[in-house]
């Protein structure tokens, strides 16, 4: 229950989301005082260093598992959803084809440079 609350807090940092999702969960704990009571601590002194091992056993480690990183292919696909980037790729291909057909030197290289 507490870990779900912490995860919700991390996933909803914007004020509107906090009002909609986090504050109702906090009220289920009895507000700030109820949360402090559930954590078996107080707002003035906190916890003692000698309590840490027992608290880790009771509440678990103070660690939130990070989400796996997005793959390079997924990021490339998402980038290609931008119409401006699609137009730029199209212009690069046209530049490459025109540079190749009207071979007057290294004009085809411009298309490759735009794509890169």
């Amino acid at each position: 229950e507490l870990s779900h609350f912490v995860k919700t807090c991390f996933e909803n940092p914007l004020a509107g989301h906090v009002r909609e999702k986090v504050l109702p969960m906090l009220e289920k704990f009895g507000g700030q005082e109820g949360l402090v009571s559930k954590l078996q601590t107080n707002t003035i002194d906190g916890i003692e260093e000698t309590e840490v091992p027992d608290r880790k056993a009771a509440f678990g480690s103070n660690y939130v598992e990070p989400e796996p990183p997005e793959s390079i292919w997924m990021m490339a696909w998402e980038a290609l959803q931008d119409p401006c980037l699609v137009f730029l790729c199209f212009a690069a291909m046209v530049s490459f084809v025109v540079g190749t057909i009207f071979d007057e030197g290294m004009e085809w290289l411009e298309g490759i440079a735009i794509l890169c």
Side-chain angles (χ1 to χ4, degrees), residues 12-24:
N12 299 287
L14 300 178
H17 294 147
V18 168
R19 278 188 223 104
E20 293 172 12
K21 298 177 182 175
V22 177
L23 291 180

Side-chain angles (χ1 to χ4, degrees), residues 7 63-69:
K7 187 174 183 180
Y63 178 75
V64 176
E65 187 71 35
E67 294 183 14

Side-chain angles (χ1 to χ4, degrees), residues 31-94:
Q32 178 183 345
E33 294 81 19
L35 182 61
V36 169
S37 172
K38 187 116 175 136
L39 291 171
Q40 301 169 4
T41 186
N42 67 63
T43 58
I44 297 169
D45 298 325
I47 63 172
E48 299 292 326
E49 192 171 335
T50 57
E51 296 178 75
V52 173
D54 295 333
R55 296 178 72 79
K56 275 189 180 179
F59 298 112
S61 180
N62 188 12
Y63 178 75
V64 176
E65 187 71 35
E67 294 183 14
E70 202 170 17
S71 74
I72 187 79
W73 303 113
M74 186 56 89
M75 288 189 286
W77 177 251
E78 288 174 6
L80 285 173
Q81 303 310 306
D82 181 12
C84 185
L85 187 61
V86 172
F87 178 76
L88 184 61
C89 289
F90 176 74
M93 294 302 289
V94 169

